[in-house]
Amino acid sequence: MKTAKVSGFVALFMLLTIITQIGGLVLLVTMPLFRYVTPRLKKKNRLINGLIKSSLFLLLYLASTFIVVPIIAKPLGRIPLPIFSNNSVKPLNIMTCILNRHYVTPDLYRSLEQISIGFNSKYSESTIAYLDANFPFINNYPLLPHLSHNDGKKLDIALFYYEKETKIALNKAAPSPIGYGVYEMPKMGEINQPFECEKQGYWQYSILQNFVPQNNNENFVFDKERTAYLMSLIIKEANIQKIFIEPHLKQRMNIDNDKVRFHGCQAVRHDDHIHIQLN
């Protein structure tokens, strides 16, 4: 029984560390609190005991995430993207921030800020919604399932859409709740890179659509105008050196710039987001 508990703790520690970077450490810090609280709980009610312990961990984790981590990360070279303070830039899903996946270098932060100012001057009612960026600490620490979000210099941004029936421009909204996995498919006559990659045996290229609900797809229409304007501002930003988007969207938006590249079949599809990076 003791071995099972230790194995379970190790597995939980590893899971929290993988998905949040700091969760495993917070769990270790919380253990003394558990030992203090356990004798004072009614041992017969395991459900309540578990809820109290889970609440202690959650409170300490959230305090660490939103208060402690930003303070420590800043002198180490990474800062969190805006959550509520900037109406022009916000996370598509707050879970991105709760999981500490919204950290970038100051240079990338400033570049996004300049892009948002230009975008807001034309589309004042629209918000640039970001997806995954990087963890707050340690270069080369993997941000799964991404291949390269490990140095503070990468950021994914959601595409823009409008509502199919009303034609109303949607703000901080995407057909996927996480921003990934619901694709803007190639049209007739456009480059079909997903087909080519899968034909070459890259089975993972479109894998996210197998896990992300697709039922919202019919209600969302890709907003070519706003997305193309956003792309033009990203391209003009001097610090941004690489931009990844699916070739058929590059073709559809009539983009001809060396910064905008194909990311390779070894990655996953980029017709659900825009990837930008400093170098």
Side-chain angles (χ1 to χ4, degrees):
M1 187 67 176
K2 188 175 181 180
T3 302
K5 285 185 177 180
V6 171
S7 298
F9 177 83
V10 171
L12 181 60
F13 174 86
M14 292 179 64
L15 177 64
L16 290 171
T17 302
I18 289 170
I19 65 174
T20 71
Q21 193 175 53
I22 69 163
L25 181 60
V26 174
L27 182 63
L28 290 177
V29 173
T30 311
M31 292 306 294
L33 290 177
F34 289 167
R35 287 194 289 269
Y36 174 80
V37 169
T38 298
R40 291 161 176 77
L41 299 176
K42 295 180 180 180
K43 295 182 180 180
K44 292 182 180 180
N45 197 326
R46 292 185 178 180
L47 177 60
I48 292 178
N49 292 356
L51 288 173
I52 292 174
K53 290 181 179 181
S54 298
S55 298
L56 283 173
F57 169 77
L58 185 60
L59 286 172
L60 187 58
Y61 175 81
L62 291 175
S64 300
T65 292
F66 292 109
I67 300 173
V68 179
V69 171
I71 295 173
I72 298 174
K74 186 174 181 179
L76 297 177
R78 297 189 196 177
I79 54 179
L81 291 170
I83 303 176
F84 305 111
S85 60
N86 187 339
N87 287 329
S88 300
V89 177
K90 289 184 177 180
L92 180 75
N93 190 321
I94 190 63
M95 284 302 298
T96 300
C97 307
I98 292 175
L99 297 177
N100 293 294
R101 301 168 75 92
H102 64 305
Y103 281 79
V104 296
T105 63
D107 284 344
L108 183 50
Y109 187 102
R110 285 189 289 269
S111 290
L112 182 61
E113 192 172 46
Q114 289 302 309
I115 291 166
S116 71
I117 291 171
F119 190 80
N120 188 251
S121 67
K122 183 171 183 178
Y123 297 105
S124 59
E125 300 300 318
S126 295
T127 299
I128 296 175
Y130 63 82
L131 308 175
D132 284 344
N134 312 261
F135 278 136
F137 308 114
I138 310 173
N139 282 346
N140 299 317
Y141 189 100
L143 184 86
L144 297 177
H146 301 280
L147 298 177
S148 64
H149 288 235
N150 57 17
D151 57 5
K153 299 178 181 180
K154 282 85 176 183
L155 173 64
D156 289 344
I157 299 174
L159 306 177
F160 284 100
Y161 301 87
Y162 59 84
E163 208 276 328
K164 182 177 181 179
E165 295 297 328
T166 64
K167 310 299 182 184
I168 293 175
L170 297 171
N171 188 42
K172 206 169 80 69
S176 165
I178 60 172
Y180 301 103
V182 179
Y183 306 123
E184 175 58 27
M185 304 295 287
K187 295 182 177 180
M188 186 70 67
E190 292 181 340
I191 301 168
N192 194 335
Q193 193 62 53
F195 174 78
E196 293 299 323
C197 287
E198 290 164 21
K199 187 173 70 173
Q200 295 173 39
Y202 292 95
W203 55 269
Q204 88 294 339
Y205 199 69
S206 301
I207 194 171
L208 280 179
Q209 67 182 356
N210 298 323
F211 302 98
V212 176
Q214 303 291 310
N215 53 298
N216 269 339
N217 197 18
E218 294 182 357
N219 300 319
F220 286 74
V221 178
F222 174 64
D223 191 329
K224 174 183 171 181
E225 180 181 313
R226 282 190 296 169
T227 305
Y229 186 66
L230 174 62
M231 286 287 293
S232 71
L233 295 173
I234 295 172
I235 290 168
K236 289 177 183 177
E237 181 60 30
N239 283 337
I240 303 298
Q241 297 298 310
K242 294 180 183 178
I243 306 162
F244 297 151
I245 195 167
E246 208 65 35
H248 67 270
L249 292 184
K250 178 181 178 180
Q251 180 183 9
R252 192 181 304 177
M253 291 185 285
N254 297 313
I255 295 171
D256 183 16
N257 188 278
D258 291 340
K259 286 186 179 183
V260 185
R261 310 176 185 183
F262 173 53
H263 40 279
C265 289
Q266 77 284 352
V268 294
R269 291 174 63 154
H270 281 62
D271 47 1
D272 53 1
H273 70 281
I274 304 164
H275 170 103
I276 66 174
Q277 63 182 70
L278 297 184
N279 50 46

